[in-house]
Amino acid sequence: MTYTTTIQPVSSLPVELDPSRLPAHLAIIMDGNGRWAEQRKMPRTVGHAQGARTLKNILTCCDEWGISALTVYAFSTENWRRPLDEVNYLMSLFERMLAQELEAMHDRGVKLQFLGDLTGLPISVERAVRKAIELTQHNRGIAFNVAMNYGSRSEIVETCRILAARVQAGQLELGEIDEVTFGRELSDGLAPDLLIRTSGEMRLSNFLLWQLAYTELYFTDTLWVDFDRAALLKALLEYQGRQRRFGGLGGAV
């Protein structure tokens, strides 16, 4: 899926930003909630709760500034290895926040989509997710993609299986499988323009490995809880200062 930047009125966008050069699709690895809480001698769950509020604010900011799509890494397939109490809290928090914010997001025209194996989530969470998808599927505002129980390697393997089954069934010729065909099957071809990872970590952690092939990467020491509009502005300004060549010599800025 290709997103285009929606140019917002000047009044809604910081004057430092060029509205024609915003990333149409922003991806974020939200990292550092637990460390934020531990630094303050608080339970890690407090950090996760604060991080959910940060996400709400950043989603609103992206919507107001004319970014067409936001994809966030909410819970990876590897996160099940965390302590059971923390995992249970994260699932409960996600379900609660979705229940509290769904109607407001729907009213703003947000289109909610989810990446990952939803069947691996607790039943009540899966039901809440599918309700959100159904309610917002026809909305035409910002696309809000949430990666839940998501792992990019598993996604790539599953895509290979799907395409192989189609070839075996005579529905697809082997020669028809190319990057475009594969990409369309893979999370509907999501291709972020900019990836932000907070908390000082500099790795992709099994997130959108195929889709990030030509994405600009931005790493910041700021913990996710503290990532506000000023921090997002700083990231976007750096993005606008880069030249994207996509393997060529000229390319678009």
Side-chain angles (χ1 to χ4, degrees), residues 123-165:
I123 293 175
S124 61
V125 176
E126 183 185 355
R127 286 174 180 165
V129 164
R130 297 197 185 281
K131 175 184 176 182
I133 294 171
E134 183 177 0
L135 179 65
T136 67
Q137 62 182 322
H138 299 300
N139 288 349
R140 307 187 74 173
I142 185 171
F144 183 29
N145 309 307
V146 182
M148 286 286 293
N149 195 24
Y150 174 86
S152 185
R153 287 181 174 179
S154 295
E155 180 187 47
I156 291 171
V157 170
E158 182 59 24
T159 298
C160 290
R161 288 174 177 156
I162 290 171
L163 294 176

Side-chain angles (χ1 to χ4, degrees), residues 170-184:
Q171 300 169 350
L172 184 70
E173 293 293 329
L174 185 61
E176 293 178 315
I177 300 177
D178 55 16
E179 290 186 17
V180 174
T181 304
F182 195 89
R184 284 176 180 164

Side-chain angles (χ1 to χ4, degrees), residues 81-94:
R81 302 171 187 168
R82 294 188 177 189
L84 182 59
D85 287 348
E86 183 173 353
V87 170
N88 288 340
Y89 178 83
L90 285 168
M91 291 297 154
S92 175
L93 174 64
F94 179 77

Side-chain angles (χ1 to χ4, degrees), residues 129-231:
V129 164
R130 297 197 185 281
K131 175 184 176 182
I133 294 171
E134 183 177 0
L135 179 65
T136 67
Q137 62 182 322
H138 299 300
N139 288 349
R140 307 187 74 173
I142 185 171
F144 183 29
N145 309 307
V146 182
M148 286 286 293
N149 195 24
Y150 174 86
S152 185
R153 287 181 174 179
S154 295
E155 180 187 47
I156 291 171
V157 170
E158 182 59 24
T159 298
C160 290
R161 288 174 177 156
I162 290 171
L163 294 176
R166 289 180 184 170
V167 171
Q168 192 173 39
Q171 300 169 350
L172 184 70
E173 293 293 329
L174 185 61
E176 293 178 315
I177 300 177
D178 55 16
E179 290 186 17
V180 174
T181 304
F182 195 89
R184 284 176 180 164
E185 189 64 43
L186 199 71
S187 294
D188 200 17
L190 298 176
D193 300 294
L194 172 64
L195 168 74
I196 296 172
R197 179 162 189 163
T198 59
S199 86
E201 303 294 349
M202 296 185 182
R203 55 181 178 270
L204 299 180
S205 295
N206 201 17
F207 183 53
L208 301 178
L209 301 179
W210 173 282
Q211 297 90 332
L212 294 175
Y214 278 102
T215 299
E216 294 296 317
L217 308 180
Y218 178 87
F219 301 103
T220 174
D221 290 334
T222 303
L223 301 177
W224 174 245
V225 175
D226 296 323
F227 193 84
D228 54 14
R229 290 188 177 218

Side-chain angles (χ1 to χ4, degrees), residues 40-125:
R40 290 157 178 78
K41 310 300 182 184
M42 291 188 264
R44 289 173 58 86
T45 53
V46 175
H48 293 310
Q50 293 294 327
R53 295 186 180 93
T54 297
L55 176 56
K56 177 182 175 180
N57 293 335
I58 293 300
L59 173 62
T60 300
C61 183
C62 288
D63 191 20
E64 292 176 354
W65 289 2
I67 293 172
S68 300
L70 173 65
T71 299
V72 298
Y73 207 6
F75 192 89
S76 74
T77 50
E78 291 78 20
N79 287 155
W80 295 109
R81 302 171 187 168
R82 294 188 177 189
L84 182 59
D85 287 348
E86 183 173 353
V87 170
N88 288 340
Y89 178 83
L90 285 168
M91 291 297 154
S92 175
L93 174 64
F94 179 77
E95 186 176 359
R96 186 168 66 252
M97 291 297 295
L98 192 56
Q100 292 173 355
E101 302 297 334
L102 180 57
E103 288 298 333
M105 286 191 287
H106 180 48
D107 289 343
R108 294 204 312 270
V110 176
K111 182 175 182 178
L112 266 163
Q113 302 171 102
F114 292 82
L115 317 178
D117 180 10
L118 302 183
T119 63
L121 299 173
I123 293 175
S124 61
V125 176

Side-chain angles (χ1 to χ4, degrees), residues 228-250:
D228 54 14
R229 290 188 177 218
L232 178 59
L233 172 60
K234 182 179 179 181
L236 294 177
L237 285 171
E238 179 165 324
Y239 170 82
Q240 293 195 342
R242 298 181 186 181
Q243 185 178 36
R244 303 185 71 194
R245 297 185 177 88
F246 299 96
L249 296 179

